[in-house]
Amino acid sequence: MSQAAFLAVDWGTTNLRAWTVDGGGAPLAHREFPLGVSRLKPGEAAAVFRDTVRPALGAEALPALIAGMVGSNLGWKEVPYVDCPADAQALADRILWIAGEQPLVGIVPGLRGQGLGGPDVMRGEETQLIGWLAQDPARLRGRHLICHPGTHAKWVLTDAGRIERFITAMTGELFAVLTEHSVLGGRDGDAEGAGFDLGLAAAGDGSALAARLFTARARVVGGGGLEPAQVRTYLSGLLIGADVAATPRLLDVPAGTPVALVGDGRLCAQYRRAFAHAGVPVEIHSGEAAVLAGLHVLFQIQSRKGGPP
Amino acid sequence: MSQAAFLAVDWGTTNLRAWTVDGGGAPLAHREFPLGVSRLKPGEAAAVFRDTVRPALGAEALPALIAGMVGSNLGWKEVPYVDCPADAQALADRILWIAGEQPLVGIVPGLRGQGLGGPDVMRGEETQLIGWLAQDPARLRGRHLICHPGTHAKWVLTDAGRIERFITAMTGELFAVLTEHSVLGGRDGDAEGAGFDLGLAAAGDGSALAARLFTARARVVGGGGLEPAQVRTYLSGLLIGADVAATPRLLDVPAGTPVALVGDGRLCAQYRRAFAHAGVPVEIHSGEAAVLAGLHVLFQIQSRKGGPP
């Protein structure tokens, strides 16, 4: 068995995922904890990491590199954003090494770019993107459009291995607040997902979303062929369909530009269905593999320099 | 003092508003109750009306005409929708008179029309529209575009005194669920409403709403010139601006078509600000006066026939 080189951590809003990784970037052990930064008390991150995360992986003696919301003002220590365009080197250079931590703990900075009429931001996805770019040398050449679906979906343009621009769409969060807190409701029970395809059709060009969303109610109470049990999948199709139809245009990419979907498998499959409806070719890539690759690349750049300060 | 001719009632989801009205349609007494249908137990409407509403207005002996969600399956008795196009006569003919009630109680039917790829529905606004049309003979000629702002904003086309088509945009409800339940939050404190104008500008053409909404967060955490205290008014401007920019197009009206705003004064003023930003002329009309006029018109049509069955 290879020797672990470092402890790789994706510490997000809801969960914390950690891997010991060997010198070649291969994962050795993996643990997941319901210890996202939204669940921590102020100032608790350091102790949680030392007392819970390290021992669970037998990683008391390993340097650690962490990406995600842990670098926000709600996390361990706020790490200033790096501005786009940015590549792996720019991010590695700005890793924040926590003062006084032994073994070393570094936090990857988030990215800030020119979004829709103002700055847009990400924390965590930049590491997945760096990893995805590093997984295939062809991706370090030319321009690519990547979609990272989720609570706050990220639409990203890369060029020559740099992250150039991105736009965030709060598609997943809209789904959550509308199904949990609005008049639309949304029961489960559409096993075949027929409602999803009805929702994709209702998404149209993605304009006038407030009007399109109300169709989820009007078609139920007005006899429009939508069953109450289909409302939830209908809303999912409508919101994802509107995202796919409207957001890439904001990045000025030509219609039909192929898209790399990087992220959670179930979400990526839903987006693939929406892209298929729109006639856009896609490839799906594992978000977990991408974040591991990204942390490995960033850690290696630091090591080549002779290690962190 | 004139003698009351009937008891006019607007019984919505949240509140119940009632007026005694003289033979000329003028209100004599008015009371409002926090007794909307969402606050009633099943089967409670009849007793609430008889034991609370009628005595409060000294209206124990008057026939009553009621509009609003009270005609839904959550209200007193479900009244089938009337289909568009519909005028005052069509709605009056389909008033549901509650069997066995003495004095008489009638409920105005809601309207169903061809909305966005399927049926759309309203309950209550049809009575305001009939009243608004009746308030000026010029409105019974030609085509008019009316916007009724609210939780579920209604955009309506009339032609020759008939309600032809309408589309509902859940603009107000999106504002409520996003400010109460999303990561965007939204504190009060923007007395000058500067955030509202920033939001109007961010609304653009109303496309890609899930992306535009996230700017309310990105501009705060990314240093984009938006203060936390402005998020609430920014979201209001963004959502209303997107509604104004995108929804009328779905009704195939030419850009810049003048709009009659009918409804709550504060909401109408917010929409007027958005229309001014878009360069569209508007007139504001009281929703309360319109619903009273509508109930009067519908009650009169029934009376001319010799009264309800």
Side-chain angles (χ1 to χ4, degrees):
Chain A
M1 181 173 160
S2 315
Q3 183 134 9
F6 79 110
L7 178 58
V9 184
D10 179 11
W11 199 338
T13 302
T14 311
N15 292 306
L16 182 161
R17 298 183 296 167
W19 300 261
T20 49
V21 175
D22 74 16
L28 300 172
H30 172 55
R31 287 290 300 272
E32 186 160 346
F33 308 84
L35 292 170
V37 298
S38 68
R39 295 165 168 178
L40 299 181
K41 298 191 201 77
E44 197 182 23
V48 161
F49 192 68
R50 186 179 56 236
D51 301 338
T52 303
V53 179
R54 282 192 179 278
L57 283 131
E60 289 88 343
L62 290 180
L65 187 58
I66 318 181
M69 287 300 286
V70 72
S72 76
N73 62 354
L74 300 173
W76 189 336
K77 180 131 181 77
E78 188 164 0
V79 186
Y81 292 109
V82 169
D83 286 308
C84 286
D87 59 8
Q89 184 72 53
L91 284 162
D93 286 345
R94 299 277 296 277
I95 289 170
L96 184 144
W97 298 95
I98 307 267
E101 279 290 318
Q102 278 299 339
L104 291 169
V105 174
I107 302 179
V108 180
L111 265 189
R112 180 169 55 189
Q114 179 61 30
L116 196 54
D120 203 339
V121 292
M122 63 169 64
R123 283 197 191 273
E125 295 90 351
E126 74 294 327
T127 303
Q128 291 198 34
L129 290 161
I130 292 301
W132 180 83
L133 286 165
Q135 284 171 321
D136 181 343
R139 297 177 192 157
L140 295 169
R141 295 188 294 272
R143 293 164 64 84
H144 300 275
L145 175 61
I146 300 107
C147 173
H148 178 82
T151 302
H152 298 160
K154 304 290 179 186
W155 292 82
V156 186
L157 273 180
T158 69
D159 190 8
R162 287 189 309 268
I163 301 167
E164 289 285 322
R165 263 187 85 193
F166 61 92
I167 283 177
T168 305
M170 51 189 300
T171 303
E173 186 164 6
L174 273 176
F175 177 76
V177 297
L178 287 168
T179 51
E180 287 166 29
H181 300 291
S182 85
V183 70
L184 306 179
R187 299 205 307 249
D188 279 325
D190 181 23
E192 279 90 48
F196 191 89
D197 291 326
L198 292 172
L200 282 182
D205 62 1
S207 68
L209 190 63
R212 294 183 192 280
L213 288 168
F214 190 75
T215 64
R217 177 159 178 83
R219 289 185 190 180
V220 171
V221 301
L226 188 67
E227 302 297 322
Q230 293 176 325
V231 166
R232 201 176 160 82
T233 49
Y234 180 85
L235 283 174
S236 177
L238 202 170
L239 286 164
I240 292 174
D243 195 5
V244 162
T247 312
R249 276 188 276 136
L250 300 177
L251 286 166
D252 306 314
V253 296
T257 298
V259 177
L261 281 162
V262 181
D264 169 76
R266 191 185 57 81
L267 278 179
C268 285
Q270 292 182 330
Y271 269 71
R272 177 169 55 192
R273 198 159 160 179
F275 280 112
H277 178 83
V280 175
V282 300
E283 278 187 14
I284 290 183
H285 307 273
S286 158
E288 182 167 310
V291 75
L292 262 172
L295 287 164
H296 177 65
V297 166
L298 296 172
F299 190 79
Q300 275 196 312
I301 292 174
Q302 283 291 325
S303 302
R304 276 201 303 270
K305 289 200 316 187
Chain B
M1 182 175 160
S2 313
Q3 182 133 13
F6 78 110
L7 178 58
V9 184
D10 179 10
W11 199 338
T13 301
T14 311
N15 293 306
L16 182 162
R17 298 183 296 165
W19 300 262
T20 49
V21 176
D22 73 16
L28 301 172
H30 171 55
R31 288 292 298 273
E32 185 161 345
F33 307 85
L35 292 170
V37 300
S38 68
R39 295 164 168 180
L40 300 180
K41 298 191 200 75
E44 198 182 22
V48 161
F49 193 67
R50 188 178 55 236
D51 300 338
T52 303
V53 180
R54 282 190 179 279
L57 284 130
E60 288 88 346
L62 289 179
L65 187 58
I66 317 181
M69 288 299 286
V70 71
S72 76
N73 62 354
L74 300 173
W76 190 335
K77 179 128 181 78
E78 189 165 358
V79 185
Y81 291 109
V82 168
D83 285 308
C84 286
D87 59 8
Q89 184 72 51
L91 284 163
D93 287 345
R94 300 275 296 278
I95 288 170
L96 184 143
W97 298 95
I98 306 268
E101 279 291 317
Q102 277 300 338
L104 292 168
V105 174
I107 302 179
V108 180
L111 265 188
R112 180 170 56 190
Q114 180 60 30
L116 198 54
D120 203 337
V121 292
M122 63 168 64
R123 284 198 191 272
E125 295 90 351
E126 74 295 327
T127 303
Q128 291 197 34
L129 291 161
I130 294 300
W132 181 83
L133 286 165
Q135 283 171 321
D136 181 344
R139 296 176 192 157
L140 295 169
R141 296 187 294 271
R143 292 163 65 83
H144 300 275
L145 175 61
I146 301 106
C147 173
H148 178 83
T151 303
H152 298 159
K154 305 291 178 184
W155 292 82
V156 186
L157 273 181
T158 69
D159 190 7
R162 288 189 309 268
I163 301 167
E164 290 285 323
R165 265 187 84 191
F166 62 91
I167 283 177
T168 305
M170 54 189 300
T171 303
E173 187 164 5
L174 274 176
F175 177 76
V177 297
L178 287 169
T179 52
E180 288 166 29
H181 301 291
S182 84
V183 72
L184 305 180
R187 299 204 309 248
D188 280 325
D190 181 23
E192 280 91 48
F196 192 89
D197 292 326
L198 292 172
L200 283 181
D205 63 0
S207 69
L209 190 63
R212 295 183 192 279
L213 287 169
F214 190 74
T215 63
R217 178 161 177 81
R219 289 185 190 180
V220 172
V221 300
L226 188 66
E227 301 298 322
Q230 293 177 323
V231 167
R232 199 175 161 85
T233 49
Y234 180 84
L235 283 173
S236 178
L238 202 170
L239 286 164
I240 292 174
D243 195 4
V244 161
T247 313
R249 278 189 273 135
L250 300 176
L251 286 166
D252 307 313
V253 296
T257 298
V259 176
L261 282 163
V262 181
D264 171 75
R266 190 186 56 81
L267 279 178
C268 285
Q270 292 182 330
Y271 269 72
R272 177 169 55 193
R273 198 160 160 178
F275 280 113
H277 179 83
V280 175
V282 301
E283 279 188 13
I284 290 182
H285 306 273
S286 157
E288 182 168 310
V291 75
L292 262 173
L295 288 164
H296 177 64
V297 165
L298 296 172
F299 190 78
Q300 275 196 312
I301 292 175
Q302 284 291 323
S303 301
R304 277 200 303 269
K305 290 200 317 187

